[in-house]
Amino acid sequence: MTHPVPPLPEGLSENRFLGGQVTLRQPRRGYRAGMDAALLAAACDAAPGERVLEAGCGVGGALLAAAVRRPEAVFVGVERDAQALELARQNIEINGLSDRVSVRVGEVAEPFVRLGLPPFDLAMANPPFFDDPEALRAPAPEKAGAWMADDGFSTWAAFLLKAVRPGGRILVIHRADRLADLLEALAAGAGSIQIRPVHPFADAPAKRVLVRAVKTGRAPLRLLPPVVLHPRSGEDKHTAEAEAILRGAAAIDWAAP
C-alpha cells in the first residue's frame, strides 16, 4: 500500500544518488548520507531472493542504493530516530520500492529477537564512528546520534551477529583505526573475514575499512585490494573505480581473485 508523499518541508534537501537512480530526502544540517553509504551499498552482495537488514539505516541512503543495486532481494531497515525513520519511509515511497523495502523502529541496544523477525541472510551497518565522548570534540546535536555509539561497537556487533542465520554475512564500514576493535567484536561468532581498505589517495593511509564476515565461518582472514577514492593529479574528482561505484556502474567485489 502506498501513501502520499508530503511536499518537501523547509530544512530538508532532496538529492540524487547512484547516478540519479535514487532520490533521497535528508536534513540540510546534521548527518547526511554520502560516500560511506555509497560504499556500503556497493559492497552489499545480496543474491536473488535473499533478505537484507540494515541496522541504523537513517533516512535510507545505503538501504535504498543497495536495493536498487540488488533488485531481486528484500530489504528491511531498523532506525531509532523518529525523524530519520519518517524520512526513510518517504524515500521508499518516492523511489517506488515499497514492494520490497521497509523500515521499522528498532534499537540496536535491544535484543534482535524483539523485532519479531526471522534471521536475515545479510546484515549491514555504518555504525557511529565514536564510542568515547572524549575522542570527539562536541559534535553538533544533529550529528551526535550518528557519530556517537551509546553502547560501544561491541553492542552493534552482537546485534548483527544475532540478526543473521548461520552462514549469513555481516557487512560493516568503519574507521580504519578501529579495525582491531571491529575484528575482536566480530570474532565472538563470525569468521571467514574479508577486509577492503578504503584510501582517500593511493599514497595515503586508509581512512575507512569495509569488513565482510560470515557467521560460523572458518576460512582464514583475507586482505583484499583497496578502493582508492581520489586521484592526486588531473581534473577528475574521483578515480575511475570510485566514479563507477558512485554511478552504480560497478560494485565492490568480494569474490576470490
Side-chain angles (χ1 to χ4, degrees):
M1 180 179 178
T2 60
H3 301 277
V5 176
L8 186 68
E10 185 178 354
L12 298 182
S13 65
E14 196 165 273
N15 307 106
R16 306 283 283 177
F17 290 88
L18 205 65
Q21 298 179 74
V22 173
T23 299
L24 200 68
R25 289 186 170 187
Q26 55 183 340
R28 292 186 182 276
R29 296 184 61 189
Y31 179 80
R32 290 169 59 83
M35 180 64 77
D36 290 342
L39 293 171
L40 184 65
C44 174
D45 61 345
E50 287 194 322
R51 298 169 56 252
V52 180
L53 175 76
E54 185 184 4
C57 68
V59 302
L63 186 74
L64 293 170
V68 169
R69 285 175 168 277
R70 302 289 173 173
E72 297 182 68
V74 174
F75 291 80
V76 177
V78 173
E79 176 55 49
R80 70 178 183 177
D81 181 81
Q83 181 185 22
L85 191 67
E86 174 55 29
L87 286 175
R89 291 189 174 114
Q90 292 181 28
N91 288 328
I92 290 169
E93 295 288 347
I94 289 169
N95 289 280
L97 292 170
S98 57
D99 58 332
R100 58 186 184 86
V101 182
S102 61
V103 290
R104 60 174 61 200
V105 66
E107 182 69 70
V108 170
E110 296 178 353
F112 169 75
V113 68
R114 292 192 182 179
L115 292 176
L117 298 171
F120 288 77
D121 301 292
L122 188 154
M124 63 182 193
N126 178 11
F129 283 166
F130 301 92
D131 52 17
D132 177 5
E134 300 300 321
L136 190 62
R137 185 180 299 170
E142 300 92 342
K143 295 185 178 181
W147 284 10
M148 190 66 64
D150 296 337
D151 302 291
F153 181 74
S154 60
T155 299
W156 284 76
F159 181 88
L160 295 171
L161 284 166
K162 289 293 187 182
V164 296
R165 59 171 174 77
R169 288 98 67 207
I170 296 164
L171 178 63
V172 176
I173 187 167
H174 211 275
R175 289 164 41 201
D177 63 347
R178 295 299 303 274
L179 178 59
D181 298 324
L182 183 58
L183 296 180
E184 181 181 9
L186 291 174
S192 304
I193 291 173
Q194 296 173 286
I195 303 166
R196 292 205 67 169
V198 181
H199 296 252
F201 301 95
D203 58 353
K207 292 292 185 70
R208 300 282 186 268
V209 285
L210 283 157
V211 177
R212 181 184 184 272
V214 178
K215 186 173 180 177
T216 67
R218 297 185 179 275
L221 183 147
R222 299 173 69 241
L223 184 60
L224 299 179
V227 177
V228 179
L229 300 180
H230 307 289
R232 277 291 188 193
S233 59
E235 297 181 358
D236 294 332
K237 181 178 179 181
H238 299 109
T239 63
E241 178 187 21
E243 186 64 28
I245 288 170
L246 292 173
R247 293 198 319 267
I252 294 175
D253 191 11
W254 297 105

